[in-house]
Amino acid sequence: MGLRFDLLGPVRVRQGDRLLALGSAKQRTLLTALLLEPNRTVSLDFLTSALWDEAPPKSAVSNLRTYANQLRRALADSAPRLTARRPGYALAVEPGELDSARFLHLLRLGRADLAAGAPRRAALGLEAALALWRGNAAEDLPRTLALAPRLQALEDLRGSAVDAYAAARLALGENDAVAAELHEHLAANPTRERLWAHLMLALYRCGDAAGALAAYARARDVLVNQLGVDPGPQLVALQQAVLKRDPKLDRVPEPRLKVPSRWRTRGVHRGLRPLYWQTRQA
């Protein structure tokens, strides 16, 4: 039976319905560093930095070998997963086993569908991508200097998926639901300017032009106070269009399409959920 590696939340490994015991935080940090470069050799220098930042103990290499041996036993499968390779270690991951890789694949498909003018198909894929997240990336581990930028890159891509998903659903006319969800996203990520733009458009299409202008004012306050910048040209142009009640802001929803077989849906709620890659199990 194969393994499932999960980085998009607390780090875990599953074998069927069973969660594997991964040991100490140091062992789980080692696993995280290896999963960020699956099927590639990760150097001992990088692994040392990932586990101890800039103050490794004199026994760091010996400790790494111990953690690797314990992790190898924890990941016992039909074939060896963790192998020593100069100048470090490599972790073998099969296609479909790593949640972050599935997320990136679905994000690419969703973006392509959105660009091709297929918002319903895009929304299906992007919802599946976002459903893989159970929290922040590797949220149960310290973010050392070596790991922080790579984990933050995943978080930034999550934000891009939220952006694209909102755009797809706006194209489908789901304005009320988009507005409600964007309020929550912006409470956690208030400096994401594109999300403010989506919120303004959703509110305007709900008939709440005053709410759209209030959202612009809040966005401007956040950007000025937190980043020291004014709203960008897109947000300013959108504000002007709302003030003028520009008819171009209105959009007729796309006709409902048959769900494509490549998403392998087991059931559809409002044409979007649930999807078989969804991983919100406890």
Side-chain angles (χ1 to χ4, degrees):
M1 185 180 295
L3 301 177
R4 288 282 184 167
F5 299 96
D6 296 334
L7 280 182
L8 306 181
V11 176
R12 67 184 188 182
V13 181
R14 293 171 290 149
Q15 190 169 42
D17 295 330
R18 182 171 64 96
L19 281 175
L20 301 187
L22 300 175
S24 67
K26 286 285 192 265
Q27 280 178 214
R28 287 180 283 120
T29 301
L30 172 60
L31 174 63
T32 298
L34 294 167
L35 287 174
L36 289 169
E37 295 286 347
N39 302 309
R40 296 182 181 178
T41 301
V42 183
S43 72
L44 289 176
D45 286 345
F46 179 81
L47 294 174
T48 299
S49 297
L51 269 66
W52 290 286
D53 267 335
E54 297 177 349
K58 293 181 180 179
S59 59
V61 173
S62 176
N63 291 352
L64 270 174
R65 291 196 184 101
T66 299
Y67 296 141
N69 287 334
Q70 292 171 345
L71 192 57
R72 186 182 292 113
R73 287 194 292 270
L75 300 177
D77 197 17
S78 56
R81 292 296 188 130
L82 181 57
T83 56
R85 288 188 200 163
R86 290 181 180 275
Y89 290 92
L91 183 66
V93 178
E94 298 296 327
E97 288 187 334
L98 178 58
D99 64 350
S100 58
R102 298 200 305 280
F103 166 74
L104 293 172
H105 175 68
L106 288 168
L107 176 57
R108 284 193 293 269
L109 289 177
R111 283 172 165 173
D113 286 332
L114 191 58
R120 186 167 300 282
R121 199 159 56 233
L124 283 166
L126 291 164
E127 178 160 3
L130 289 167
L132 291 167
W133 288 80
R134 298 166 292 109
N136 295 325
E139 69 177 16
D140 55 332
L141 297 174
R143 289 209 171 183
T144 56
L145 293 175
L147 292 183
R150 301 189 185 206
L151 294 173
Q152 185 58 50
L154 282 174
E155 299 282 355
D156 291 343
L157 288 169
R158 182 189 191 182
S160 296
V162 171
D163 173 9
Y165 184 46
R169 295 178 70 196
L170 284 172
L172 295 170
E174 298 186 10
N175 304 306
D176 288 326
V178 170
E181 291 175 17
L182 286 178
H183 279 299
E184 295 182 13
H185 284 297
L186 284 164
N189 304 280
T191 59
R192 295 193 67 88
E193 194 167 343
R194 283 183 58 85
L195 295 188
W196 284 108
H198 291 320
L199 176 60
M200 289 176 63
L201 188 56
L203 291 170
Y204 182 82
R205 289 180 179 173
C206 288
D208 187 5
L213 294 172
Y216 173 83
R218 293 198 305 274
R220 186 181 184 283
D221 286 345
V222 167
L223 294 170
V224 169
N225 293 330
Q226 295 193 23
L227 300 181
V229 299
D230 289 318
Q234 181 192 28
L235 210 59
V236 172
L238 182 54
Q239 182 219 24
Q240 293 301 308
V242 170
L243 287 169
K244 297 174 183 176
R245 305 298 195 269
D246 190 333
K248 292 180 181 178
L249 296 181
D250 297 318
R251 178 71 62 87
V252 177
E254 181 200 68
R256 181 173 293 277
L257 300 177
K258 182 179 179 181
V259 175
S261 60
R262 65 176 167 143
W263 297 122
R264 303 183 187 180
T265 53
R266 295 185 301 192
V268 178
H269 171 63
R270 298 188 65 189
L272 294 180
R273 48 174 126 223
L275 297 157
Y276 93 110
W277 264 327
Q278 211 162 341
T279 58
R280 284 181 179 162
Q281 292 93 348

